[in-house]
């Protein structure tokens, strides 16, 4: 019975040998419970996503076994690649807007594990046997429900890792073949792309524990010379958080009025730009106030991939770059993966 939290993966640097491999989808993790005409789509935290994807409710009722629990990912594709921005737009309180977006940008469900079929729990069944049952249960399934391509050949997994990024995927998942299903446990392995970029540090947010740095606000200059907010870097030790406050104090501005991101105080600006301090349906009541800094320092960060004009995930601080000028930190330095059609991924292309 819902809610059930999904089994998770821990990061590793290389694809481990002798396992079951799948592409790592960039979407909303979802566990689907179906019992006849009843269907619940549960999120990673256990909260229901059902109301946000009405088109998937219809499709899943038509295509899944009559009684089952299926683990997978909800994605939205645009111009042949995954589009996480369009996916996040679905989490909206207005049912009318959700219905409109369901028609304009319909979602897909990628199934990659099964927890139960009929009256049978498969939680203690080894992964290899669970996957065989899933293949049988979803044989011949068609869009917008898909069976995730998989392989046990590590060379194919390496090929996917290099090729599929062009379709918006961000790595490979490796699963031990004898692995039972354990909710909320990090027993699988994920291998993600990592690159580096030199970025401008233009502000910071305090950490929730007190007046120490929680995250640095990062920027890159666009072709028009405007400093665009591209994300944050975090994960500092407690001592480093405190030291950063003193280290950045000479750059601290009393007011954001003359800062490149001064427009964040104008609510209307949030409709067209992603600026620090912007409220969102994800942040809720979270304090997003920030300390503006003169954009004069450059640091190198590690990142996995871009989502549009910003880092998809939190970047990782690597080092200060006193040899770089802020104006030299533009988008041109970022590596762009070769485009690869998502349809080829879903059909198992390259296997």
């Amino acid at each position: 019975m819902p809610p059930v939290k999904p089994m998770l993966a821990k990061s590793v640097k290389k694809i481990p040998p002798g396992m079951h491999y799948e592409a790592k989808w960039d979407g909303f993790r979802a566990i689907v419970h179906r019992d006849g005409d009843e269907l619940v789509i549960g999120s990673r935290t256990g909260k229901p996503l059902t109301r946000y994807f009405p088109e998937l409710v219809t499709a899943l009722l038509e295509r899944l076994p009559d009684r089952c629990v299926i683990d997978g990912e909800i994605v939205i594709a645009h111009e042949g690649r995954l589009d996480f921005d369009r996916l996040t737009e679905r989490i909206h309180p207005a049912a009318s807007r959700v219905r409109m977006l369901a028609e304009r940008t319909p979602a897909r469900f990628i199934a990659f594990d099964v927890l139960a079929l009929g009256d049978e729990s498969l939680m203690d069944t080894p992964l290899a046997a669970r996957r065989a049952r899933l293949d049988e249960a979803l044989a011949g399934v068609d869009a917008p429900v898909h069976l995730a391509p998989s392989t046990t050949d590590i060379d194919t997994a390496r090929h996917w890792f290099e090729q599929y990024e062009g379709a918006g995927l961000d790595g490979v998942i490796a699963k031990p073949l004898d692995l039972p299903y354990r909710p909320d446990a990090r027993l699988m392995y994920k291998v993600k792309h990592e690159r580096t970029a030199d970025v401008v540090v233009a502000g910071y947010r305090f950490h929730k524990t007190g007046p120490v740095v929680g995250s640095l606000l990062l920027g890159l200059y666009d072709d028009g010379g405007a400093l665009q907010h591209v994300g944050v870097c975090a994960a500092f030790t407690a001592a480093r958080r405190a030291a950063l406050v003193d280290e950045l104090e000479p750059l601290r501005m009393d007011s954001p009025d003359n800062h490149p991101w001064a427009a964040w105080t104008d609510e209307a600006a949030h409709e067209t730009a992603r600026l620090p301090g912007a409220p969102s349906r994800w942040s809720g009541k979270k304090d997003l106030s920030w300390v503006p800094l003169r954009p004069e320092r450059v640091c190198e960060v590690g990142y996995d991939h871009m989502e549009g004009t910003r880092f998809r995930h939190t970047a990782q601080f690597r080092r200060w770059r006193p040899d770089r000028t802020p104006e030299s930190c533009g988008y041109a330095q970022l590596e762009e993966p070769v485009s690869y059609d998502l349809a080829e991924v879903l059909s198992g292309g390259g296997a």
Side-chain angles (χ1 to χ4, degrees):
M1 294 293 291
V4 173
K5 291 186 176 182
M7 185 162 58
L8 305 175
K10 54 188 173 185
S11 294
V12 294
K13 295 294 185 181
K14 296 182 178 179
I15 300 174
M19 295 194 180
H20 170 100
Y21 308 105
E22 299 166 4
K24 185 179 183 301
W25 304 91
D26 189 21
F28 288 168
R29 187 73 176 275
I31 293 185
V32 176
H33 289 72
R34 186 200 176 172
D35 187 355
D37 293 335
E38 296 181 82
L39 188 135
V40 174
I41 303 173
S43 71
R44 175 171 169 167
T45 62
K47 296 181 179 179
L49 293 170
T50 319
R51 69 176 297 269
Y52 303 117
F53 298 96
E55 78 281 28
L56 281 186
V57 172
T58 301
L60 290 166
L61 285 172
E62 292 174 349
R63 292 165 174 80
L64 294 188
D66 189 62
R67 299 183 70 230
C68 63
V69 182
I70 306 289
D71 188 5
E73 195 103 356
I74 298 173
V75 301
I76 287 180
H78 178 66
E79 296 182 349
R81 60 181 290 127
L82 301 185
D83 192 321
F84 194 79
D85 274 351
R86 284 176 166 78
L87 190 63
T88 60
E89 289 176 356
R90 288 298 193 87
I91 311 302
H92 197 282
S96 58
R97 178 168 177 79
V98 169
R99 288 194 299 270
M100 180 269 289
L101 291 173
E103 296 178 2
R104 180 183 297 175
T105 54
R108 306 172 186 234
F109 180 74
I110 315 295
F112 45 65
D113 209 337
V114 56
L115 284 63
L117 283 171
D119 294 329
E120 182 183 4
S121 171
L122 300 175
M123 301 281 278
D124 293 327
T125 302
L127 169 72
R130 290 202 313 276
R131 178 64 196 219
R133 297 288 297 276
L134 179 67
D135 290 348
E136 181 182 0
L138 297 186
V141 73
D142 59 357
V145 179
H146 305 269
L147 184 62
S150 67
T151 184
T152 55
D153 179 54
I154 193 170
D155 289 333
T156 298
R158 290 168 178 156
H159 175 73
W160 288 352
F161 183 78
E162 297 299 332
Q163 193 169 26
Y164 282 3
E165 188 185 10
L169 286 80
D170 61 354
V172 165
I173 295 288
K175 306 177 181 181
L177 292 165
D178 59 352
L179 184 66
Y181 198 95
R182 294 293 179 259
D184 213 27
R186 292 191 180 275
L187 301 176
M188 305 182 295
Y189 304 94
K190 58 184 177 183
V191 188
K192 300 175 66 174
H193 297 273
E194 182 175 280
R195 300 176 173 85
T196 62
D198 294 326
V199 293
V200 182
V201 177
Y204 65 85
R205 291 197 182 102
F206 284 115
H207 194 261
K208 60 183 178 181
T209 59
V212 295
V213 170
S215 59
L216 300 178
L217 304 179
L218 311 175
L220 287 173
Y221 283 95
D222 62 20
D223 291 339
L227 185 65
Q228 300 294 336
H229 177 48
V230 295
V232 303
C233 65
F236 302 107
T237 65
R240 184 63 175 139
R241 293 183 191 282
L244 279 170
V245 173
D246 295 332
E247 190 172 351
L248 297 172
E249 182 61 27
L251 300 176
R252 184 166 178 168
M253 300 173 65
D254 294 331
S255 166
D257 290 347
N258 295 317
H259 193 279
W261 300 334
W264 79 270
T265 55
D266 180 3
E267 291 187 5
H270 301 317
E271 297 298 323
T272 57
R274 297 180 61 91
L275 300 174
S280 75
R281 53 190 173 273
W282 300 104
S283 58
K285 297 181 180 179
K286 182 179 178 182
D287 182 12
L288 293 180
S289 57
W290 62 293
V291 176
L293 300 175
R294 296 196 310 276
E296 298 174 3
R297 293 200 73 175
V298 174
C299 73
E300 180 184 297
V301 297
Y303 71 99
D304 48 14
H305 70 109
M306 302 293 290
E307 178 67 33
T309 59
R310 67 187 188 280
F311 299 133
R312 169 68 178 85
H313 301 105
T314 301
Q316 302 300 311
F317 183 88
R318 292 287 181 262
R319 57 177 175 152
W320 293 113
R321 291 296 306 267
D323 56 320
R324 291 292 300 268
T325 63
E327 293 76 17
S328 69
C329 299
Y331 284 96
Q333 67 180 300
L334 304 180
E335 181 182 346
E336 178 67 23
V338 175
S339 179
Y340 191 79
D341 195 333
L342 182 65
E344 290 294 318
V345 180
L346 292 172
S347 66

